[in-house]
Amino acid sequence: TDEEGRYRLEGVEPGLRMIGATTAEGRSVSHELDVAPGVNGLDLVFERGWPVSGVVLGPTGEPVAEALLVLAGDSRAWSGLDARSDGGGAFRFEDVADGTYWLRAEHPDHATTRLEEPVEVEAPVAGLELRMAAGTRLVGTLSGLEESTARRTEVFARDGTTGFEVASVAADGSFTIPALAPGEWTVMASAPDGRRATEIVSIAAGEREVRVDLSFIDGLTLTGTVLLAGEALTGARLVLRNRDIADSAWGRTDHRGRFEIRGLEPGRYGLVVSRFQDGLHHQEELSLSDDREVLIEIERHRVAGRVVDADGDVAVTDAVVQLRPRGADPALFPTGMLGPGTRSDSTGAFALGNVDAGVYEISALQDGYARLDRQLTVGPGDVEDLVLRLKRTEGALLRVLLPDAAAARSIAVVALDPGSGVPIDGGRFMATTAGDVRLASIPDGRWTLVVSSADAAVAEITVQVPGEAETVQLGPGTRLDVVVPALSGPVVPAATLTLQDPLGPFFRHPGSGELRQRWPIWNGRTTVENLPAGAWIVRVEATDGQRWDETVTVQAGGTQTVEIR
């Protein structure tokens, strides 16, 4: 928008569209518009919000000045509306829209603190009191690193409530976090050569200082060179994950395509080479029994073609075309970075370069059309004149409500074939102020939708496309922290967790649009978010054949911890 609030969006496809605007302070407004050919007009009006105010106090009731207050719509969100407390500890947010928020306070001399109950805003809110604990000082040292490496090593602590706290690391490898809240914290150090060291510490209320020393083992070293079409590949990220034990590491290629990853345990590894800016992806397997030097040669191919309407070969413009390596390990390659992507131009044409040889799933996505997925083999030559035909669909309209009946804001959905359970589409969507979201690329038919939002429980519904709008009422969601002491330690087997209803179905989570049914266990722990209340069979399976099954009863809302022995 310009200084008068005016805006203009060019190249908008005709049809039902959601138009939204967000301010720098985090306020948002959105509106549906049936866009017609030619010039359309739509004014977006931000509703007047409510003031939210209170005071921040220290452990003995003294006011805390210059505390950072964050008001967020999700208890685990690290962005939202922010304000500063004044000399008397008072704070005030202006123009807060109706909704449910979580209030957090941060200050360098106190432990980060979150108000235990959410703040309900539907009128002015005053008199909030957030009492910050003095916090426990965490100190420690790094060992097993050269001085130059220690200076560039990152150390942080993480818990399940307040999030991350970053340590300051001195040249001699000593580190400090000035104030941590009581509870259980995972303290992790990440060295620039890919090695990691982790310890878990429990902090009791009133403790003034705790010490955690982190030691890096020498282990095995993998060095090598990465070539793309015979030339050095610079700035590529490498991720290694052990197939047998809970061990992973990463590195990056330099200007010569060289890399070095140290501190590895012997075993079988999955290796991924990726470069974010051009979507490059390469994956292979390798074994380590000693230090090893490797040469990774990645082919370069071109994939090009057109995206057209299946009913008349008319060009479909601005369609998202994505390549996903078939069989890519999502634990090694983050969601949303699964391969090169591009958009079709005004003639429907698209082209992708730097595509490695292999078998891919190619997808094409555009609102008003059913998502297309098909298998594509790349290599030995280029793929030219590929035609992707999209079929029109009305999609599905959902209204998603949180447990308190307030409208959900951010919604994750995965659509599944109800018979096979195979995902056909998914994503994360911003809803209207009423909680409405249109899933514009679900094809005609009957589908199961897995839906989640913020701190609410995952829900599954069945929809018919085309069909009437569906309302999804979400229940209270529970965060389940699972501890498996037998899988805690420097060298333990890799393991995953699943949750199963005693009556049969497994728990499925839509993530950020990628279906999730298994959770990896690291250092004897994992966390499952948005779990509905009820009885669940917690199943842990390790690569060495060990298996644990325990039925737990999950209460609605909050955080619950279960220990599996």
Side-chain angles (χ1 to χ4, degrees):
T1 56
D2 65 14
E3 64 278 1
E4 296 180 4
R6 297 175 301 184
Y7 73 92
R8 183 180 182 91
L9 297 175
E10 299 283 0
V12 180
E13 281 287 302
L16 193 61
R17 297 286 178 262
M18 185 68 67
I19 315 297
T22 305
T23 70
E25 295 78 25
R27 297 176 61 203
S28 62
V29 61
S30 58
H31 198 284
E32 274 194 352
L33 177 68
D34 195 356
V35 178
V39 178
N40 296 255
L42 175 66
D43 291 334
L44 297 169
V45 180
F46 286 90
E47 295 183 5
R48 184 73 179 171
W50 308 103
V52 174
S53 61
V55 65
V56 186
L57 303 176
T60 60
E62 74 280 11
V64 177
E66 288 299 310
L68 172 65
L69 285 300
V70 179
L71 199 60
D74 186 329
S75 65
R76 287 171 293 281
W78 285 89
S79 62
L81 304 175
D82 60 73
R84 289 275 180 183
S85 60
D86 63 18
F91 65 88
R92 182 182 176 90
F93 296 90
E94 301 287 354
D95 291 334
V96 180
D98 288 357
T100 302
Y101 298 87
W102 294 88
L103 178 64
R104 184 178 74 252
E106 302 173 23
H107 191 277
D109 297 331
H110 297 80
T112 298
T113 305
R114 193 186 75 188
L115 202 63
E116 290 187 1
E117 298 297 326
V119 180
E120 303 291 345
V121 179
E122 53 186 17
V125 178
L128 295 175
E129 181 179 297
L130 211 160
R131 188 175 290 261
M132 303 189 74
T136 300
R137 175 183 167 91
L138 177 76
V139 298
T141 57
L142 305 174
S143 60
L145 296 175
E146 297 177 358
E147 183 177 319
S148 61
T149 302
R151 284 199 303 266
R152 295 180 292 128
T153 296
E154 298 177 345
V155 179
F156 62 87
R158 180 187 66 202
D159 78 338
T161 303
T162 55
F164 288 83
E165 297 288 348
V166 179
S168 58
V169 183
D172 63 357
S174 61
F175 60 87
T176 304
I177 299 178
L180 292 180
E184 194 164 75
W185 291 82
T186 299
V187 184
M188 178 180 292
S190 176
D193 59 12
R195 286 184 289 169
R196 295 191 303 177
T198 305
E199 291 288 345
I200 295 174
V201 59
S202 294
I203 297 177
E207 278 192 281
R208 298 188 65 179
E209 184 174 287
V210 295
R211 184 174 189 87
V212 176
D213 294 321
L214 300 174
S215 178
F216 288 82
I217 62 171
D218 290 334
L220 303 179
T221 299
L222 178 69
T223 56
T225 303
V226 182
L227 302 178
L228 174 62
E231 298 181 356
L233 180 65
T234 64
R237 180 175 170 84
L238 295 95
V239 180
L240 277 170
R241 181 163 182 183
N242 197 303
R243 299 299 191 191
D244 303 312
I245 65 173
D247 185 31
S248 65
W250 53 85
R252 189 173 296 276
T253 58
D254 63 16
H255 64 284
R256 302 170 298 162
R258 296 284 299 169
F259 68 90
E260 179 181 84
I261 302 176
R262 300 169 57 191
L264 299 171
E265 293 288 339
R268 300 175 302 125
Y269 285 85
L271 169 67
V272 163
V273 182
S274 62
R275 195 164 63 177
F276 176 76
Q277 58 264 38
D278 50 20
L280 181 71
H281 173 96
H282 171 83
Q283 184 165 328
E284 64 180 64
E285 303 286 321
L286 57 85
S287 295
L288 287 179
S289 57
D290 206 340
D291 293 348
R292 184 174 172 184
E293 169 86 16
V294 296
L295 175 64
I296 301 171
E297 297 181 280
I298 303 175
E299 297 181 27
R300 173 186 280 162
H301 296 286
R302 171 183 158 91
V303 175
R306 294 182 69 231
V307 184
V308 300
D309 189 308
D311 294 331
D313 283 350
V314 177
V316 176
T317 65
D318 208 34
V320 176
V321 180
Q322 183 91 36
L323 280 177
R324 295 172 179 240
R326 193 171 181 85
D329 186 350
L332 291 177
F333 215 53
T335 298
M337 295 172 56
L338 287 174
T342 188
R343 290 180 180 268
S344 59
D345 64 16
S346 59
T347 68
F350 68 90
L352 294 162
N354 289 345
V355 180
D356 192 18
V359 180
Y360 294 83
E361 294 287 343
I362 187 169
S363 63
L365 186 66
Q366 175 58 292
D367 287 355
Y369 292 91
R371 177 190 176 112
L372 179 145
D373 287 282
R374 57 183 277 191
Q375 185 172 304
L376 179 69
T377 300
V378 179
D382 294 339
V383 178
E384 302 281 357
D385 303 322
L386 185 65
V387 180
L388 304 178
R389 302 181 187 279
L390 302 186
K391 295 182 179 179
R392 290 191 175 273
T393 180
E394 293 183 13
L397 181 63
L398 298 182
R399 170 165 291 182
V400 183
L401 304 178
L402 297 175
D404 61 358
R409 296 179 180 180
S410 177
I411 300 161
V413 182
V414 172
L416 313 172
D417 182 292
S420 65
V422 174
I424 60 151
D425 197 10
R428 180 170 288 278
F429 307 89
M430 293 303 297
T432 68
T433 54
D436 294 343
V437 61
R438 180 172 293 278
L439 311 177
S441 55
I442 294 181
D444 292 354
R446 191 169 180 83
W447 311 105
T448 297
L449 301 185
V450 186
V451 185
S452 75
S453 179
D455 297 287
V458 171
E460 295 193 14
I461 66 167
T462 301
V463 299
Q464 182 71 40
V465 179
E468 299 296 322
E470 297 279 353
T471 298
V472 184
Q473 176 65 63
L474 302 178
T478 301
R479 172 193 170 103
L480 185 67
D481 292 332
V482 180
V483 182
V484 189
L487 296 175
S488 178
V491 181
V492 294
T496 58
L497 173 140
T498 57
L499 290 162
Q500 186 176 12
D501 188 305
L503 299 179
F506 282 88
F507 176 61
R508 301 185 286 200
H509 195 290
S512 293
E514 297 283 343
L515 189 69
R516 190 173 192 182
Q517 299 182 87
R518 303 179 74 87
W519 284 259
I521 295 176
W522 291 100
N523 203 24
R525 296 168 179 273
T526 194
T527 298
V528 180
E529 308 276 2
N530 309 111
L531 189 63
W536 292 96
I537 300 172
V538 181
R539 177 167 299 145
V540 177
E541 297 175 283
T543 52
D544 64 354
Q546 294 186 85
R547 173 170 161 167
W548 295 264
D549 287 280
E550 185 168 324
T551 300
V552 300
T553 300
V554 174
Q555 306 300 321
T559 299
Q560 188 171 329
T561 302
V562 58
E563 190 170 291
I564 306 296
R565 291 189 178 274

